[in-house]
Every structure is written in structure tokens, then in C-alpha cells.
Amino acid sequence: MNVSRFLKNVILVELFVPVLLLTIGIYHGLMQVIYRAGVIHQASVAKLDYYQGLTLHGVINAIVLTTFFAVAFGHATIAFYLKREPNPKATMLSLVLMVTGTLMAAVAMLSGKASVLYTFYPPLKAHPAFYIGTAMLIVGSWVAYWDWAIIYVQWKKENRDSNTPLAVIGTLVNFTIWFVCTLAVAYEVLVLLVPWSLGWTTSVNVVLARTLFWFFGHALVYFWLLPSYIMFYTLLPKLAGGKLYSGTAGRIAFFLFLILSIPIGVHHQFGDPSIGRGIKLTQSVLTFGVAIPSFITAFTIAASLEHAARQRGGTGLYKWIWKLPFFRQDVYLFGYLINGLILFIFGGLTGLVNASYSLNNVVHNTAFIPGHFHLTVAGPVFLAILGMSIFLVSQLTGKKIFLPVINTIIPYLWTVGVLIFSTGLMWGGLMGEPRRTNMGLTYLNPASEQFHSYWVISSMLGLAGGGIMFIAGFLYFVVFFGTFFRKPSFAPTIDFPVSESLHPEKRIPLFDTFRPWLALMALIILMTYIPAISDALNNTGRKAPPYLPSDPTPIVKKK
């Protein structure tokens, strides 16, 4: 499909800006494991504090990169499948808000005035520019979503009896989740945190703020994941040389994510005594339920890949796997997506630990938690972003991939690094190793009375894995920017390798309309979060003054 110059440039900016910032994010990821392994016994390097680097790493990688990419991929998906480009005015407004907000937040973080560990999590307090900038980034993504929704409604009026393309269903489900969950964090930021940060209020309701944050915070994971799921269903079978086993299964999975992604955030608050046991139990059960669409996806994609491999001559119970195109340069996206799936197996299984109240008590606020979520965020999410960003840049600029052999190796090198890194963190977490802590100052500093030798091996594993991830990230930058700045060799276009269905499937109206699912989504959210917010409002005790991440004493204003 040919795209206008305007849309092409917008998508390229929405890829280039976050990838440029990602250079800072990946650098600070490496610095985190160096600090934590005890290689550095100080609070800062190059005038960048440990917690400042932790915030930059988290915000850039987990919020800026993922939001920009989701919008860019959404623009490409809507335009390709519905054959209609987004409204130029809305698209430009979205881009300006996102870029401006990102720059505001970046200035606050780089100046050391927003070291709040990537969360809007009082009593840690950031500069107002951080909160306002992040809110602008979110609102900018809303504008794009509203525009796509209008395009979808117009398309549906003209194609009432046609199945909505699966990728469009996935995109709209993803941004519906995003829009609803960010309403809570927008309230937290604009009503609770910005006035507090500006000094208009002296304290903040910590439990309420955290409850609103986790209304957003866990659904954020599915906002990260669903672009990957779209690629798994619509691209991966074709890349493997086969067909999609069931498109209906994909529709069911997406709509299950719509109703189950948000009302499970309280499982992050099992340690908060202000939240009642009943609501914790309810959301714990729902958290196990959200594994169902993942199991549906695992079966469907595995069946699709097996069909593809057997089409290529694969035989036996397991030997067919080796007929898949793991290292073929012409389908390099397969390597990025299949490695993401492999990592997600471990990410999903370790996530069930967090959903269990009793097991969560063992690993809560230990290094096990970042070990787990790096298997998801740095697994299917990050690898899909890396692969698709190179794919889109190549197509939209009309340039061949720079260093195609290196491009094929990157996802495998990254996967090895993530597995070693996460093993080290989770092993250390099971031995009580804390998260978000500069252990080089204390626990892994032989000169400190708090030195803890049990964590030496696990933290060194984290360092080794992080080092491999850094090398893979560096190679990605070489390929991405090398491709971006090459001379064009073919006409710019968007041409996704679309997977056909293996079996003819009739249109089922229930899985081709949003209304009943939106109603069910609203009902479940109200049932689960009205009691949680009531607890947060009524069981808070004293409100908390602001703190700095490096000092356990409250900030006292000088008179």
C-alpha cells in the first residue's frame, strides 16, 4: 500500500524520537546492573545519580518507547487494513502533544528533579514538568485513538457484513484498554500530584494514589503486549511459511483482554493493609483468569507454526520445529517474534507467582519482580518493537536493511542476555535481594557492615546478562540508524506479510462488535474498583509528606 508523504513522515518521527531516547534508556539499564553488582561503590557516575538513571531507564523504555511505538504501529495498521489514512490535523496534534510532553518530562528527569523510579508513586515527589509532560504524552496518544475510532465507525457502516480485520480489532482493543486505564492515572496526576508538586497542597493520600496508579499500572502491561499479539496472529504464521490456525481464536483472546486487563491491579497492592482481603482475593482470581487468552494464543500460534513447518517438510513429534526459518534474512521478523514468544513462556509462568497472595508475599519488592517483568517487557514487547521498527523504517524510506546478517542475530543474542539477567535477579529475589536499590553502596560493598555475600553470584549473573543485552541493543542501533540513513533503493510503501486463515471461518457478530464487551468491561471494573477505592479513601490514616528516593526522612520546606 502506498502512503502519503505526511503519514510516512509522522510514523518515522514516532519511531525515530523514542529510539533516539532509547540510547539513554539502554545505557542506564547497563549502569543499573553495574551498580547492583557492586562494581561501583558510589551514588552517581558522570553526575547522574543511581535513582535518576533508574527513572530514565524505566520511563524511556516502559512508557515513552512503548507509547510512541504503539501509536506509530497503530497508524500503519489502520491505514493498511482499512485503506484509510488518519486525519492529518488530529495526527499532527497527537504528535505535537507527545513530543512536547516527552521533552518536558525528559528535562525534569535529566536535571535530577524527577527521580521517582518511573512510577507516579507518592510519597516520592517529582517536578511538575514531569507530571504535566507525561500527561501530555498520554493525551497525545488519546487523540490518535479517537481518530482511529472515527475511521473504524465509518468503515463499519460501509462494511456491515464484513469481518473487521483482526489487526484492527487488536489495535482498537489495545487503545480502549489504554484510554480507560489512563483515565485513573490522569486523575492521580492532575488532581493529586500536580497540586502537591506545585506546593498548593501539603500532603497526598498515598493509598488512593497507589490504587489509581495500579488501575493503570498493570493494564499498562497489556498495552505493551497487544501490539506483539497482533504480530503473532497476523504476521508470524505467514513469516513461517504457513497460515493462521484460527482467526476467531484471536478475536476471542483480544476481547478477553479487553474485559480482564484492568480489574486486576490490586494484586500489586497485596502488601497494602488499607485494601481489604475480599477485594484482594477477587482481583487475584481475575489475574489468574487473564492467563486464559494467553493460553488460547499459545495453542493457536503453536498450531500455526507446526502447520508451516510441516508444509516445509517437517516431520515427527518435535523435529518439525527445525524447519522453521529461524535465521533467514528475508524473514528476519520471524526471529524477533519467535524469540519474544520463547521469553514470554517464562514471563507468563513467573507472573502466576505474583498473582498468588501467599507466593507474592515471598517475592514482593525483591529482585524477583524486575526479573519477571523483564521476561515480558524485554521479551515479546521489546523484541517486537525492535523488529517492527526496523521493518517500518525500511519500508517507509525505501531502504534495504543495513547489515542484514547482524540484524538476524540480534534477537537471539538479546534472548540469551535476558534469560541470564532474569535468572540472576529472580534467584537473588528468592534470597531476599531487594529491588530498586543501589547495592554497590551497601549490600555488595565489602567495606560496608551490610555486605551480603549471598547476593554476589546472583548479581553477577544479572551483570553478565545485562552486558549481553547491552551489546545486542548496541547492534540494534547500528542496524536501525544504518538503515535510516542509507540511500533509498525502492519505492516507499507499507506491505505487511498478512497471514491467511487455515480454515474458512464465518463471521460471528459477537466477536466483531465492541458494544457488549465494553458493557461487560465497565461492569467488571465497577464491581472490582468501587470497593478498592472506597478502602483507599476510608482506611488511609495520616496523609504522607513528600520524600526523596535516597533519603527516608520527609522533605521539610525551609521557612
Side-chain angles (χ1 to χ4, degrees):
M1 170 190 169
N2 294 325
V3 294
S4 68
R5 184 176 181 181
F6 171 78
L7 182 60
K8 179 191 77 171
N9 290 337
V10 166
I11 294 174
L12 288 174
V13 170
E14 289 173 344
L15 294 174
F16 191 88
V17 169
V19 171
L20 191 62
L21 290 172
L22 183 63
T23 59
I24 301 173
I26 285 186
Y27 162 75
H28 283 291
L30 176 66
M31 293 304 297
Q32 292 298 305
V33 291
I34 291 175
Y35 278 115
R36 288 182 58 86
V39 177
I40 298 174
H41 304 306
Q42 56 196 58
S44 63
V45 171
K47 296 184 179 180
L48 286 171
D49 180 79
Y50 168 85
Y51 291 103
Q52 188 179 3
L54 179 57
T55 303
L56 285 162
H57 175 70
V59 172
I60 291 171
N61 292 16
I63 296 181
V64 174
L65 174 68
T66 53
T67 304
F68 269 89
F69 174 79
V71 172
F73 184 56
H75 283 320
T77 299
I78 296 295
F80 178 78
Y81 285 96
L82 299 186
K83 308 305 178 189
R84 303 176 187 212
E85 292 197 3
N87 181 286
K89 291 182 180 179
T91 302
M92 181 55 69
L93 175 61
S94 169
L95 179 62
V96 170
L97 285 170
M98 291 170 64
V99 172
T100 304
T102 298
L103 292 175
M104 286 179 64
V107 170
M109 289 184 288
L110 289 169
S111 63
K113 297 179 180 179
S115 299
V116 290
L117 318 185
Y118 117 81
T119 59
F120 312 120
Y121 221 44
L124 297 180
K125 185 177 184 181
H127 190 276
F130 173 77
Y131 297 123
I132 296 171
T134 310
M136 289 177 65
L137 170 65
I138 292 171
V139 172
S141 68
W142 288 355
V143 174
Y145 164 62
W146 295 331
D147 186 39
W148 301 335
I150 293 170
I151 293 172
Y152 163 73
V153 170
Q154 293 171 343
W155 181 90
K156 200 62 183 172
K157 285 180 180 178
E158 299 170 10
N159 300 270
R160 292 183 183 278
D161 297 324
S162 300
N163 250 338
T164 305
L166 182 57
V168 174
I169 291 283
T171 299
L172 294 177
V173 163
N174 190 32
F175 273 81
T176 301
I177 293 169
W178 174 247
F179 174 67
V180 174
C181 77
T182 50
L183 287 173
V185 81
Y187 178 89
E188 179 200 1
V189 167
L190 297 176
V191 177
L192 299 180
L193 299 186
V194 169
W196 179 61
S197 180
L198 289 168
W200 297 346
T201 57
T202 57
S203 60
V204 67
N205 184 329
V206 169
V207 178
L208 176 60
R210 290 183 177 182
T211 303
L212 293 171
F213 176 81
W214 285 119
F215 184 98
F216 153 83
H218 196 83
L220 175 65
V221 173
Y222 300 102
F223 176 67
W224 296 336
L225 274 171
L226 284 181
S228 310
Y229 272 70
I230 293 169
M231 295 180 217
F232 294 154
Y233 277 104
T234 63
L235 306 182
L236 187 57
K238 179 73 171 181
L239 293 167
K243 297 181 178 181
L244 176 62
Y245 186 75
S246 173
T248 302
R251 295 170 186 275
I252 294 170
F254 285 133
F255 282 122
L256 286 176
F257 276 123
L258 182 66
I259 63 173
L260 293 175
S261 294
I262 295 176
I264 58 177
V266 166
H267 79 251
H268 289 270
Q269 295 177 270
F270 283 157
D272 281 358
S274 299
I275 305 294
R277 290 177 294 177
I279 196 61
K280 289 177 180 176
L281 174 62
T282 301
Q283 296 210 15
S284 178
V285 172
L286 288 172
T287 304
F288 285 111
V290 84
I292 295 172
S294 292
F295 286 134
I296 292 172
T297 301
F299 173 82
T300 305
I301 301 306
S304 303
L305 293 178
E306 182 175 355
H307 170 262
R310 293 191 185 280
Q311 291 291 104
R312 293 173 177 271
T315 57
L317 187 60
Y318 298 112
K319 286 195 298 183
W320 58 265
I321 293 173
W322 305 113
K323 289 292 184 178
L324 295 172
F326 290 105
F327 292 99
R328 275 181 45 185
Q329 296 176 28
D330 58 330
V331 285
Y332 61 87
L333 261 178
F334 179 86
Y336 283 94
L337 297 180
I338 196 67
N339 277 279
L341 273 174
I342 292 168
L343 288 172
F344 193 46
I345 293 171
F346 300 103
L349 292 175
T350 54
L352 294 176
V353 173
N354 303 337
S356 167
Y357 185 85
S358 55
L359 294 178
N360 186 283
N361 284 335
V362 177
V363 301
H364 185 69
N365 272 345
T366 71
F368 185 96
I369 304 300
H372 149 70
F373 69 65
H374 275 83
L375 287 168
T376 55
V377 182
V381 175
F382 197 65
L383 284 173
I385 291 174
L386 298 191
M388 182 51 66
S389 63
I390 291 173
F391 179 85
L392 286 174
V393 162
S394 173
Q395 289 212 328
L396 290 170
T397 60
K399 299 172 182 178
K400 293 182 179 180
I401 302 297
F402 184 67
L403 298 179
V405 174
I406 297 297
N407 183 39
T408 307
I409 295 171
I410 289 169
Y412 299 93
L413 184 63
W414 179 267
T415 297
V416 170
V418 172
L419 288 173
I420 296 173
F421 168 82
S422 290
T423 298
L425 263 67
M426 289 189 292
W427 178 18
L430 292 174
M431 295 189 295
E433 180 183 316
R435 66 187 294 198
R436 298 171 173 160
T437 303
N438 182 359
M439 298 198 301
L441 287 177
T442 51
Y443 302 120
L444 290 180
N445 181 357
S448 170
E449 295 180 354
Q450 296 175 302
F451 178 70
H452 202 315
S453 61
Y454 288 169
W455 297 335
V456 171
I457 296 177
S458 60
S459 64
M460 283 299 174
L461 272 178
L463 175 60
I468 295 172
M469 293 165 68
F470 180 80
I471 293 170
F474 175 78
L475 294 176
Y476 162 75
F477 292 132
V478 171
V479 172
F480 178 88
F481 291 114
T483 302
F484 193 92
F485 291 110
R486 288 189 88 170
K487 292 182 178 179
S489 57
F490 57 90
T493 184
I494 295 179
D495 186 18
F496 291 123
V498 181
S499 302
E500 301 173 3
S501 292
L502 178 60
H503 309 288
E505 293 179 316
K506 293 182 179 180
R507 177 177 177 268
I508 303 174
L510 178 62
F511 301 120
D512 193 42
T513 183
F514 281 81
R515 288 182 181 178
W517 299 99
L518 291 172
L520 187 57
M521 175 193 193
L523 178 63
I524 295 175
I525 289 173
L526 291 173
M527 290 175 60
T528 53
Y529 262 99
I530 286 177
I533 292 174
S534 175
D535 284 350
L537 288 170
N538 296 319
N539 301 328
T540 55
R542 294 176 60 191
K543 293 184 178 180
Y547 287 75
L548 292 173
S550 56
D551 190 341
T553 59
I555 297 173
V556 178
K557 285 190 174 182
K558 296 180 180 179
K559 295 183 180 180

